[in-house]
């Protein structure tokens, strides 16, 4: 199966996963079950029919309004579905093209977790334990299957070592500067280290560096554009996962370019 076909199938599945991501984003911060009850209108409580719950199409056919009470439905819902589909497409294309098809399920799950946590943290400044704790064993289990399928258990060993290193590094930062690094970031760090390290050391370095670079630029932009002070608390989670995803998608190439530039210098 060609990488483009694999990526297209992943993208379509990503639209459905995005629908579930909306449920997780809405309910987990409220400590509600993500299974029951079924989807309901936040305004009137009317159950949402399956045909109205179709990714993207349901929102478009309803004109962005509840069928029962005509209350507006946030555009966030189709945007999350579309973003998940596009993210799953590019991640699958990247891995299939690199001959790492066995790892696609692991990194689709990783991308799902990253997107969900980024949006929750941006809205609530929290990275819920209900997501960060199970994320590590789920990704680790899928990467174990990928390592066995590829006949390369060394990748898993490197990933686990990276998880310990990145987790320890973030814990140290949290102890040194509690206001600058939250415990939620520390709990997520091992999963990011595992996913990035499994790919390569260069990917790990680029992903972690990109997270701090993006976070620093966001803080600088907040001070210049919004008048925030250096003591203002900004959620780091969105930039942490953005850097990790950039590492997955382009970390190897960036690390290779940097290495060649150093040797050329």
């Amino acid at each position: 199966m060609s990488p483009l076909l694999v990526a297209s199938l992943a993208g379509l599945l990503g639209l459905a996963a995005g629908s579930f991501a909306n449920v997780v984003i809405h309910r987990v911060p409220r400590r509600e079950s993500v299974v029951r009850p079924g989807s309901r209108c936040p305004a009137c409580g009317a159950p949402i029919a399956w045909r109205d719950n179709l990714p993207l199409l349901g929102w478009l056919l309803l004109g962005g309004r509840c069928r029962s009470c005509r209350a507006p439905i946030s555009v966030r819902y189709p945007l999350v579905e579309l973003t998940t589909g596009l993210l799953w497409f590019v991640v699958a294309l990247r891995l299939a093209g690199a001959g790492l098809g066995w790892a696609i399920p692991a990194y689709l799950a990783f991308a799902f977790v990253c997107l969900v946590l980024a949006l929750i943290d941006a809205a609530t400044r929290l990275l819920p334990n209900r997501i960060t704790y199970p994320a590590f064993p789920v990704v680790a289990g899928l990467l174990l299957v990928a390592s066995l399928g590829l006949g390369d258990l060394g990748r898993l060993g490197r990933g686990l070592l990276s998880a310990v290193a990145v987790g320890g590094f973030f814990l140290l930062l949290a102890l040194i500067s509690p206001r600058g690094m939250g415990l939620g970031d520390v709990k997520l760090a091992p999963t990011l280290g595992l996913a990035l390290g499994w790919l390569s050391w260069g990917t790990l370095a680029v992903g972690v560096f990109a997270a701090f670079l993006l976070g620093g630029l966001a803080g600088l932009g907040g001070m210049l554009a919004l008048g925030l002070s250096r003591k203002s608390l900004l959620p780091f989670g969105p930039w942490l996962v953005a850097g990790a995803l950039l590492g997955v998608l382009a970390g190897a190439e960036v690390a290779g370019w940097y290495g060649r530039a150093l040797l050329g210098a």
Side-chain angles (χ1 to χ4, degrees):
M1 191 179 295
S2 71
L4 183 59
L5 180 56
V6 171
S8 298
L9 292 174
L12 291 175
L13 290 174
L15 294 177
S19 183
F20 180 62
N22 278 315
V23 175
V24 175
I25 293 166
H26 178 76
R27 296 188 184 185
V28 167
R30 295 170 173 82
R31 300 182 180 276
E32 298 174 354
S33 170
V34 298
V35 179
R36 295 179 180 178
S39 298
R40 295 176 179 272
C41 171
C44 68
I48 298 176
W50 68 267
R51 64 183 183 279
D52 295 335
N53 219 16
L54 293 173
L56 293 182
L57 291 177
W59 189 88
L60 291 173
L61 293 174
L62 288 171
R65 292 185 176 275
C66 172
R67 184 181 295 275
S68 299
C69 68
R70 305 308 297 165
I73 302 171
S74 174
V75 71
R76 189 202 76 184
Y77 292 95
L79 287 179
V80 168
E81 292 167 352
L82 180 60
T83 301
T84 308
L86 291 174
L87 189 56
W88 278 27
F89 175 85
V90 296
V91 167
L93 186 64
R94 171 75 178 86
L95 294 171
L100 297 174
W102 278 94
I104 289 176
Y107 287 93
L108 295 187
F110 179 70
F112 178 89
V113 168
C114 284
L115 178 61
V116 164
L117 287 177
L119 294 175
I120 290 177
D121 196 24
T124 67
R125 295 184 179 178
L126 293 173
L127 293 173
N129 293 339
R130 288 177 62 188
I131 300 175
T132 56
Y133 283 163
F136 185 86
V138 169
V139 174
L142 291 172
L143 287 178
L144 171 60
V145 174
S147 298
L148 291 172
L150 293 169
D152 187 359
L153 284 174
R155 284 184 177 272
L156 185 62
R158 183 175 61 219
L160 293 173
L161 181 60
S162 300
V164 173
V166 174
F169 174 63
F170 274 63
L171 178 59
L172 179 62
L173 291 179
L175 293 174
I176 295 173
S177 178
R179 288 179 58 84
M181 181 69 63
L183 288 179
D185 302 319
V186 176
K187 295 170 186 176
L188 177 61
T191 303
L192 303 185
L194 171 68
L196 293 170
W198 190 91
L199 290 171
S200 70
W201 291 118
T203 298
L204 175 67
V206 169
V208 173
F209 176 78
F212 283 96
L213 176 63
L214 292 172
L217 291 175
L220 180 61
M223 287 188 287
L224 295 177
L226 303 177
L228 300 178
S229 70
R230 293 182 62 183
K231 294 184 178 180
S232 299
L233 295 178
L234 293 175
F236 184 48
W239 312 112
L240 183 58
V241 300
L245 290 172
L246 284 174
V248 170
L249 295 174
E253 288 76 9
V254 173
W257 169 82
Y258 186 71
R260 290 191 295 273
L262 284 179
L263 291 175

